Amino acid sequence: MPALSNATLSHLDSRVAVPRYDRRKVTPGIVHIGVGGFHRAHQAMYLDALMNRGEALDWGIVGVGVMPGDRRMQEVLAAQDHLYTLVVKHPNGEREPRVIGAMLDYLYAPDDPEAVVERMADPAIRIVSLTVTEGGYNFHPVTGEFDLANPDVRHDLDSPAAPRTTFGLVVEALARRRARGLAPFTLMSCDNIQGNGEVARRMFVAFARARDPALAEWIEAEVPFPNAMVDRITPVTQPIDIEELAGEFGVEDAWPVVCEPFTQWVLEDHFICGRPAFERVGVQVVENVEPYELMKLRLLNASHQALCYFGTLAGYRYAHEVCRDPLFVDFLLGYMRHEGSPTLAPVPGVDLEQYRLTLIERFANPEIKDTLARLCAESSDRIPKWLVPVIREQLARGGEIHRSAAVVASWARYAEGLDERGEPITVVDRLKHELMALAGENRTRPGAFIENRELFGDLAEHERFREAYLTTLASLHERGARATLETLVGE
């Protein structure tokens, strides 16, 4: 079986969709930093769809990896002429494979940061996009301030011509464009952060100001940072995905991507040197993204947190298992209807009840096999951004908060590192040791976890929240997850 490449495209099974455009005619227009499964199932897919219409051939993607784990992605994609297979997994078991050809190159920044900087400084590059995860923006979870004490940031400020970080790479490229009299590129965040474009603007400008105040002023005045809401469940590729693609469709792909059928991208129309005509392939290009992003962050993302810790403690390991359990579904819909949704402004063109029910259907897709471990990872970057704002707004308006407080309690119980059967839980978080130490005090000093002001600010001082949190935590210890949920659903 030949490996996936330009040369083997014409020999693939007819059930596998392949690029209908001549890839030799595609030229770079976008540099994307953080090429993971989500980018390949989302932004790159939309560009590939445009190219299949004979459009956007001057918007090819050059991927960039910054983290140590990105080296393997670079090697795999290079061996496959930067082609990969996107496999849509339908709930009925149907597989829909499609080869994506929108990526032209992949640069691993630690090997040659100069090549990355010069690629972004090239006037042909008009957009630099990002999927660097919530933690990649280097800001304090409570204050929101840029962390200038980060050792790699300090290195980049001291040695701007040899950057290690995304901030150093991007700002050095912008500095060169400014010095050469070139227009800047648009910096487009595609991460799950409220006001992701605004967050990116503040962080990159803060870094630039520490380097050169005049450069920071130019970036602040000239560089667009459009906000966006992005959505598609994209689990980590498993060995079985690679085997199934080869066995059923005869495609040898070392790193395919699997995803659900649903996809959404709401994008603010704020670009300096043009953009692809994304609206022609289903992207909602709007003037104001905020209502859509809050809907997604506070309903979908926060609901993932609502199901993953309780689900793990109860013995489940996949999201679809949890969302086929009526007790958990009642809890999730209760959170969405009575706590998350009341904090939302009207969302143009969206029926919120239908959106909530669609979320349950998506979570319950048995073919995706989205692991609870993935949803539980990096909680310290997620709960403060997705759930804490809901709690604060509901406290301010006198609304219900007992389900949201219960989610925080379930995280604290999860962070103890053992489920209800005594099986070990592997906590994956940048603050793992701190969180587990606090969770170790749950039985002796039960308020310790929420007294962490770095994550929760002054929430522990709000008596209504504190009481709801402590009640649920005690119930989780004494009665377990299911009995606790039965009480919460009945309230």
Side-chain angles (χ1 to χ4, degrees):
M1 182 188 307
L4 181 63
S5 69
N6 284 331
T8 60
L9 278 179
S10 61
H11 304 297
L12 295 182
D13 189 304
S14 61
R15 295 173 295 167
V16 181
V18 299
R20 298 194 300 270
Y21 49 93
D22 186 347
R23 294 186 79 219
R24 294 170 298 181
K25 295 180 180 179
V26 180
T27 57
I30 297 174
V31 166
H32 182 82
I33 302 174
V35 179
F38 181 76
H39 166 71
R40 295 194 292 151
H42 196 263
Q43 180 186 338
M45 179 276 299
Y46 281 106
L47 278 165
D48 184 74
L50 264 178
M51 291 174 184
N52 278 327
R53 291 168 53 101
E55 304 177 37
L57 297 183
D58 58 340
W59 289 101
I61 299 169
V62 175
V64 170
V66 176
M67 306 300 290
D70 294 333
R71 182 183 292 278
R72 180 170 174 264
M73 179 70 76
Q74 187 272 333
E75 294 170 347
V76 167
L77 289 175
Q80 298 181 174
D81 295 327
H82 303 96
L83 295 165
Y84 62 90
T85 315
L86 177 64
V87 181
V88 177
K89 291 188 170 184
H90 294 272
N92 64 1
E94 178 189 352
R95 300 289 190 267
E96 185 181 350
R98 166 181 168 188
V99 176
I100 304 294
M103 187 172 298
L104 304 178
D105 199 3
Y106 187 110
L107 306 175
Y108 183 58
D111 283 349
D112 193 351
E114 176 66 16
V116 174
V117 170
E118 275 301 308
R119 174 62 82 174
M120 289 190 287
D122 184 338
I125 299 301
R126 289 149 287 161
I127 295 174
V128 171
S129 53
L130 307 168
T131 46
V132 294
T133 76
E134 299 85 0
Y137 290 83
N138 191 49
F139 61 86
H140 191 282
V142 174
T143 68
E145 297 299 315
F146 187 74
D147 181 11
L148 286 168
N150 181 306
D152 286 332
V153 167
R154 296 307 315 169
H155 170 275
D156 286 3
L157 291 172
D158 293 337
S159 306
R164 294 175 180 170
T165 69
T166 299
F167 304 100
L169 292 162
V170 168
V171 171
E172 174 62 15
L174 287 168
R176 294 186 190 186
R177 291 175 80 121
R178 176 173 176 252
R180 295 169 187 174
L182 300 173
F185 42 72
T186 295
L187 198 56
M188 183 175 73
S189 171
C190 296
D191 280 298
N192 281 322
I193 301 174
Q194 183 178 341
N196 53 13
E198 176 60 20
V199 169
R201 185 191 67 79
R202 288 192 290 107
M203 297 307 109
F204 281 93
V205 168
F207 176 89
R209 185 172 291 116
R211 170 180 161 167
D212 177 354
L215 176 60
E217 289 182 11
W218 181 80
I219 292 174
E220 198 162 26
E222 301 295 334
V223 178
F225 292 84
N227 289 301
M229 183 269 260
V230 296
D231 189 6
R232 188 169 222 181
I233 297 173
T234 310
V236 174
T237 303
Q238 302 295 331
I240 188 63
D241 297 316
I242 298 172
E243 295 166 11
E244 286 184 353
L245 182 60
E248 183 174 351
F249 296 100
V251 180
E252 183 181 326
D253 185 337
W255 204 332
V257 186
V258 298
C259 65
E260 64 170 335
F262 182 92
T263 181
Q264 187 175 21
W265 189 5
V266 184
L267 179 62
E268 183 181 26
D269 199 359
H270 184 37
F271 293 79
I272 190 170
C273 294
R275 62 167 175 80
F278 289 124
E279 63 273 24
R280 297 180 186 172
V281 286
V283 178
Q284 296 166 266
V285 180
V286 300
E287 292 185 9
N288 182 16
V289 170
E290 184 177 13
Y292 301 90
E293 68 182 0
L294 285 178
M295 175 186 72
K296 194 252 181 171
L297 295 171
R298 296 184 179 183
L299 299 186
L300 185 149
N301 293 120
S303 291
H304 268 156
Q305 302 301 288
L307 70 87
C308 66
Y309 312 109
F310 274 113
T312 300
L313 293 171
Y316 290 127
R317 292 298 177 261
Y318 293 95
H320 70 270
E321 297 172 335
V322 174
C323 288
R324 293 191 164 198
D325 185 324
L327 175 63
F328 282 82
V329 170
D330 285 349
F331 177 70
L332 291 175
L333 286 174
Y335 160 75
M336 287 192 277
R337 286 170 177 157
H338 303 297
E339 299 185 26
S341 294
T343 70
L344 302 177
V347 186
V350 175
D351 179 330
L352 281 182
E353 179 62 10
Q354 185 58 51
Y355 182 80
R356 292 186 287 258
L357 296 174
T358 297
L359 288 181
I360 298 298
E361 291 176 6
R362 293 170 60 194
F363 296 165
N365 184 342
E367 299 302 314
I368 293 299
K369 292 184 171 59
D370 200 7
T371 65
L372 298 186
R374 182 186 81 85
L375 301 179
C376 290
E378 304 301 343
S379 310
S380 63
D381 286 327
R382 297 178 173 188
I383 293 274
K385 299 179 183 70
W386 300 342
L387 191 66
V388 168
V390 170
I391 297 170
R392 290 194 179 280
E393 289 197 30
Q394 287 292 87
L395 285 171
R397 70 173 68 229
E400 296 182 27
I401 53 94
H402 64 276
R403 300 174 192 84
S404 299
V407 176
V408 177
S410 70
W411 176 27
R413 170 65 184 84
Y414 173 92
E416 293 175 17
L418 289 174
D419 69 14
E420 293 172 4
R421 299 175 298 183
E423 296 293 326
I425 292 171
T426 301
V427 176
V428 176
D429 198 287
R430 62 186 178 87
L431 301 180
K432 171 182 177 177
H433 300 296
E434 178 182 349
L435 293 171
M436 295 190 75
L438 290 170
E441 300 185 63
N442 281 345
R443 295 178 187 272
T444 57
R445 192 163 67 91
F449 198 85
I450 56 171
E451 289 165 8
N452 181 344
R453 298 183 74 90
E454 296 292 305
L455 297 176
F456 299 106
D458 65 352
L459 266 189
E461 299 167 18
H462 289 259
E463 190 56 37
R464 194 154 66 92
F465 169 74
R466 188 181 183 91
E467 181 181 352
Y469 168 84
L470 293 176
T471 298
T472 300
L473 185 60
S475 179
L476 285 168
H477 284 142
E478 296 166 10
R479 305 167 63 219
R482 289 198 68 87
T484 298
L485 282 177
E486 287 168 358
T487 300
L488 291 164
V489 166
E491 291 181 0

